[in-house]
């Protein structure tokens, strides 16, 4: 890391923030490459998710998908025309067959988005499918997004052998407060590819997830779907004031990394262990660039993570 590179970058950031939305300041900032140290060890996640956001924005800048979502008489041929027109207008020097080829790539991408929006209705997850998913999770059925081990009460409710689910937890993880509500400890069926993105209700696209992870994931597909600000301040009894991370930051990082990141090495994986979000730099907040994944053994907050739900709610500020 070169301190000068980081210092120069933040000097440009300050100019942009101080200039009251000046286009010149932002243009100057955009010419600077973000130093590698800033996105940190999970830079691949932040850059990858950002690319998907830009791609979707670009598609919808070429053609508004709303009419295609609502009018089922419109087909992929109708969609192809405005996209091809864009290539014809911006790249007339490129041979027509190549323009058509690339327009088809974008059209297929956009059409998948439209079909997904048209088919938002979820199908019922029947008992037979539930039993198959439970069997596939053996010998230790866990949440596929965080590694949480399901207990017998959750199992009985999921398989509809009992109406009673797990009771609320006496202690919850303040970075991922699963257990404040009973439903967060129950087993739910998650669509890996969300229904809103075209995911089907078939066993290959279904996984067992805890209620907290499933509701946090919702239909979101990347870390930028959450607001870029924190989840508020928690007055921790031992750590003092702590910034609570956005739930989706925690979920997305743990679910994509899927292993303990302790620097000395660790064999714990999401398939056999519950994983937690902790700080890479203990003096920093749990932002996406400082968020690391740990198993229970290597968790730097293993003594401080667990808080009474009422105390967590009472001591948190937005």
């Amino acid at each position: 890391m070169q301190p000068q590179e980081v210092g120069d970058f933040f000097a440009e950031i300050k100019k942009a923030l101080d200039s009251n939305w000046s286009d010149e300041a932002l243009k100057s900032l955009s010419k600077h490459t973000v130093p590698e140290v800033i996105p940190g060890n999970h830079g691949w996640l932040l850059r990858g998710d950002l690319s998907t956001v830009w791609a979707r924005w670009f598609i919808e800048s070429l053609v508004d998908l709303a009419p295609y979502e609502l009018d089922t008489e419109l087909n992929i041929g109708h969609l192809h025309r405005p996209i091809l027109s864009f290539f014809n207008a911006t790249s007339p020097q490129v041979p027509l067959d190549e323009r058509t080829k690339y327009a088809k790539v974008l059209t297929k991408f956009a059409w998948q988005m439209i079909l997904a929006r048209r088919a938002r209705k979820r199908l019922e997850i029947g008992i037979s499918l539930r039993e198959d998913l439970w069997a596939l999770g053996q010998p230790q059925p866990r949440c596929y997004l965080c590694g949480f081990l399901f207990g017998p009460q959750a199992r009985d409710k999921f398989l509809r052998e009992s109406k009673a689910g797990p009771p609320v937890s006496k202690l919850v993880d303040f970075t991922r407060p699963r257990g404040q509500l009973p439903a967060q400890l129950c087993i739910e069926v998650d669509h890996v590819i969300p229904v809103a993105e075209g995911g089907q209700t078939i066993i290959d696209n279904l996984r067992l997830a805890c209620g907290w992870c499933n509701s946090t994931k919702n239909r979101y597909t990347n870390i930028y779907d959450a607001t870029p600000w924190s989840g508020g301040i928690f007055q921790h009894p031992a750590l003092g004031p702590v910034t609570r991370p956005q739930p989706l930051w925690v979920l997305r990082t743990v679910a994509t990394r899927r292993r303990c990141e302790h620097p000395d090495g660790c064999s714990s994986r999401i398939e056999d262990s519950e994983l937690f979000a902790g700080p890479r730099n203990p003096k920093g907040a749990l932002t996406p660039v400082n968020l690391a994944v740990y198993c229970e053994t290597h968790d730097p907050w293993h003594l401080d993570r667990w808080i009474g739900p009422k105390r967590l709610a009472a001591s948190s500020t937005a």
Side-chain angles (χ1 to χ4, degrees):
M1 181 189 75
Q2 295 296 327
Q4 180 180 352
E5 182 184 15
V6 176
D8 290 346
F9 178 74
F10 272 90
E12 291 295 328
I13 290 284
K14 187 176 187 305
K15 288 179 185 177
L17 294 176
D18 290 346
S19 61
N20 194 24
W21 296 40
S22 163
D23 62 341
E24 291 302 322
L26 290 173
K27 287 176 183 177
S28 177
L29 175 61
S30 70
K31 296 176 183 177
H32 284 253
T33 302
V34 179
E36 284 296 320
V37 69
I38 290 178
N41 290 46
H42 294 156
W44 52 270
L45 169 59
L46 302 183
R47 285 188 289 267
D49 274 359
L50 183 59
S51 295
T52 65
V53 171
W54 284 5
R56 293 172 187 273
W57 286 351
F58 178 70
I59 284 290
E60 297 206 53
S61 75
L62 301 183
V63 55
D64 190 340
L65 303 185
Y68 296 85
E69 177 183 348
L70 299 176
D71 186 355
T72 56
E73 294 298 318
L74 294 174
N75 57 41
I76 194 170
H78 296 107
L79 180 66
H80 180 65
R81 292 167 195 161
I83 295 177
L84 179 59
S85 295
F86 166 78
F87 283 108
N88 290 339
T90 58
S91 306
Q93 73 283 2
V94 176
L96 178 59
D97 62 318
E98 292 186 16
R99 278 179 266 150
T100 303
K101 173 184 175 182
Y102 300 133
K104 285 182 178 178
V105 173
L106 272 66
T107 301
K108 289 179 180 179
F109 182 91
W111 188 245
Q112 182 177 348
M113 294 171 64
I114 292 166
L115 292 179
R117 294 179 185 183
R118 288 180 179 177
R120 294 178 189 271
K121 185 178 179 181
R122 292 175 179 268
L123 298 177
E124 172 64 20
I125 308 296
I127 188 62
S128 177
L129 192 51
R130 289 169 180 261
E131 290 174 345
D132 289 345
L133 288 167
W134 181 258
L136 287 173
Q138 299 300 324
Q140 291 188 315
R142 296 176 177 272
C143 172
Y144 88 106
L145 294 166
C146 71
F148 177 67
L149 182 63
F150 297 122
Q153 291 171 307
R155 178 257 181 207
D156 292 347
K157 182 173 177 60
F158 177 68
L159 296 179
R160 296 175 177 169
E161 296 178 6
S162 170
K163 293 184 178 180
V168 294
S169 301
K170 294 181 178 179
L171 297 173
V172 298
D173 173 1
F174 75 89
T175 73
R176 180 178 56 205
R178 179 202 300 112
Q180 286 184 306
L181 301 173
Q184 296 172 343
L185 296 167
C186 291
I187 304 171
E188 297 184 3
V189 178
D190 182 64
H191 289 71
V192 179
I193 301 174
V195 173
E197 298 294 330
Q200 296 180 293
T201 305
I202 57 175
I203 197 163
D204 288 345
N205 190 46
L206 302 177
R207 300 289 187 277
L208 301 180
C210 69
W212 188 91
C213 283
N214 192 45
S215 62
T216 299
K217 177 176 178 280
N218 200 334
R219 63 180 183 83
Y220 302 132
T221 56
N222 75 67
I223 207 165
Y224 298 103
D225 286 335
T227 173
W229 309 116
S230 71
I233 298 173
F234 169 53
Q235 297 290 339
H236 194 285
L239 301 174
V242 179
T243 299
R244 291 181 62 188
Q246 282 291 344
L248 190 62
W249 294 351
V250 173
L251 175 63
R252 180 71 171 153
T253 305
V254 171
T256 53
R257 196 65 183 99
R258 307 186 68 80
R259 58 159 297 167
C260 176
E261 295 182 302
H262 192 268
D264 291 340
C266 178
S267 61
S268 295
R269 300 291 189 273
I270 210 166
E271 290 78 16
D272 55 40
S273 304
E274 183 172 359
L275 299 178
F276 302 90
R280 199 174 298 278
N281 168 22
K283 294 184 178 181
L286 276 191
T287 66
V289 300
N290 188 43
L291 197 156
V293 182
Y294 299 103
C295 67
E296 185 176 12
T297 301
H298 294 120
D299 179 13
W301 279 347
H302 70 283
L303 297 177
D304 303 309
R305 180 176 299 281
W306 304 101
I307 302 294
K310 292 183 179 179
R311 182 169 190 170
L312 179 62
S315 301
S316 297
T317 60

